[in-house]
Amino acid sequence: MSKSGYELVLCIVNTGFSETVMNAAKEVGARGGTVIHARGTANKEAEEFFHITIQPDKEIVMILVPEQIRDDVLHALYREAGLKSEGQGIAFSMPVTNVVGLSH
Amino acid sequence: MGRVKTKIAAAKERTANKKQKPADKNTVSQNRLELLVTIVNRNKTEYYTDLIQSFDVNMQTVMLGHGTADAKMLALFGLNDSEKSVIFGVIQEDKIPEAVATLEEKFKTIKNGKGIAYTLPLTGVIGTLIFGFLSNNRMVKGEQAK
């Protein structure tokens, strides 16, 4: 619940999967997003113990959505780019108090 | 009935007495901080960082991003460039209305200056010096020695 009526959905995925994320989000009504590059950090010791490697190159997709479709977007991201998929995505939303610049 | 009424009156008086004086501008609760996120075309980064700095935003971080709207959408919004800058800045709550109104006006009037901006509430900051820095509170000069 945020007073502007919008929520910010952030999705952290492996590099190259931002398109998957955007396609999933657009399917349920999101209009556009912004992608920034990032590097993930993992517990080196745990990585060695479990014999897995975590790809450090990440993309963060930021999508502003009306709060009515926020749950749909999060569900879509979980389905299409969740931790069990190749994109290994984590998605969460944050309240937004003021928004300007969106065309209605 | 009369007894109930006197009880209600007494309760009202008690709550009225409890109400505190309004806190001054430098108190934490009256001077909340929010994260101002502004997304603009890359070649307008410097213009917007300067503009945002004029609203007492002492620290800003610029990250390079890419817009994901498809070509049809871009045309619809009057955009033609997908290379973006994402500007993060910490702003005081009472500066937001002015900042947001100015940004909106600039988004509309400046050629190629279209963008979006939004604010996210911060729930915590640690350190008095950092809080003073972020809220441009010049009264705070350093952390007190233990």
Side-chain angles (χ1 to χ4, degrees):
Chain A
M1 281 295 218
S2 56
K3 61 181 176 184
S4 66
Y6 280 88
E7 295 246 349
L8 179 71
V9 174
L10 287 161
C11 187
I12 307 171
V13 284
N14 287 339
T15 294
F17 288 89
S18 57
E19 216 163 295
T20 318
V21 171
M22 272 325 292
N23 287 342
K26 278 178 183 168
E27 203 95 313
V28 289
R31 291 201 295 193
T34 307
V35 185
I36 49 184
H37 293 285
R39 275 172 68 81
T41 58
N43 185 343
K44 274 271 161 288
E45 187 203 310
E47 265 183 79
E48 278 161 29
F49 183 84
F50 291 110
H51 293 290
I52 52 167
T53 47
I54 305 292
Q55 194 210 5
D57 274 1
K58 302 283 181 191
E59 279 174 337
I60 304 177
V61 189
M62 309 193 296
I63 314 167
L64 263 185
V65 298
E67 66 185 358
Q68 296 92 309
I69 68 163
R70 182 249 282 155
D71 285 347
D72 296 346
V73 171
L74 285 176
H75 266 114
L77 297 190
Y78 178 76
R79 266 200 323 272
E80 303 299 325
L83 273 183
K84 284 170 192 160
S85 74
E86 240 183 304
Q88 295 183 314
I90 294 174
F92 54 92
S93 67
M94 290 177 82
V96 171
T97 33
N98 295 272
V99 185
V100 285
L102 284 179
S103 328
H104 296 286
Chain B
M1 199 59 188
R3 229 172 51 194
V4 176
K5 271 187 184 165
T6 42
K7 269 194 178 172
I8 291 173
K12 271 185 186 165
E13 205 176 321
R14 252 180 285 137
T15 46
N17 286 341
K18 262 188 202 164
K19 268 183 197 157
Q20 289 170 347
K21 281 178 271 172
D24 74 287
K25 243 175 79 80
N26 289 333
T27 348
V28 179
S29 58
Q30 290 294 298
N31 199 11
R32 285 180 165 271
L33 295 173
E34 299 210 10
L35 184 72
L36 174 69
V37 185
T38 314
I39 304 170
V40 290
N41 277 343
R42 226 168 258 187
N43 53 1
K44 292 284 185 286
T45 312
E46 213 164 311
Y47 175 82
Y48 279 105
T49 47
D50 287 351
L51 181 74
I52 293 166
Q53 198 170 50
S54 71
F55 299 107
D56 282 356
V57 175
N58 279 340
M59 185 209 69
Q60 293 181 75
T61 307
V62 180
M63 294 177 90
L64 305 181
H66 277 274
T68 63
D70 57 39
K72 207 176 117 199
M73 280 292 217
L74 287 179
L76 196 69
F77 295 148
L79 300 163
N80 44 26
D81 205 353
S82 71
E83 301 225 306
K84 302 284 175 201
S85 275
V86 186
I87 306 166
F88 293 96
V90 179
I91 188 168
Q92 295 160 72
E93 197 180 35
D94 57 355
K95 300 273 189 229
I96 291 175
E98 195 192 342
V100 159
T102 314
L103 280 170
E104 185 168 34
E105 192 215 316
K106 300 292 181 200
F107 288 156
K108 280 182 189 157
T109 50
I110 290 180
K111 197 179 172 223
N112 239 327
K114 187 97 180 69
I116 66 169
Y118 50 85
T119 59
L120 307 166
L122 298 191
T123 47
V125 177
I126 187 79
T128 51
L129 186 63
I130 289 295
F131 180 74
F133 176 65
L134 293 176
S135 56
N136 199 28
N137 183 348
R138 305 279 163 125
M139 306 287 282
V140 185
K141 287 207 183 101
E143 312 230 340
Q144 267 179 351
K146 272 181 203 167

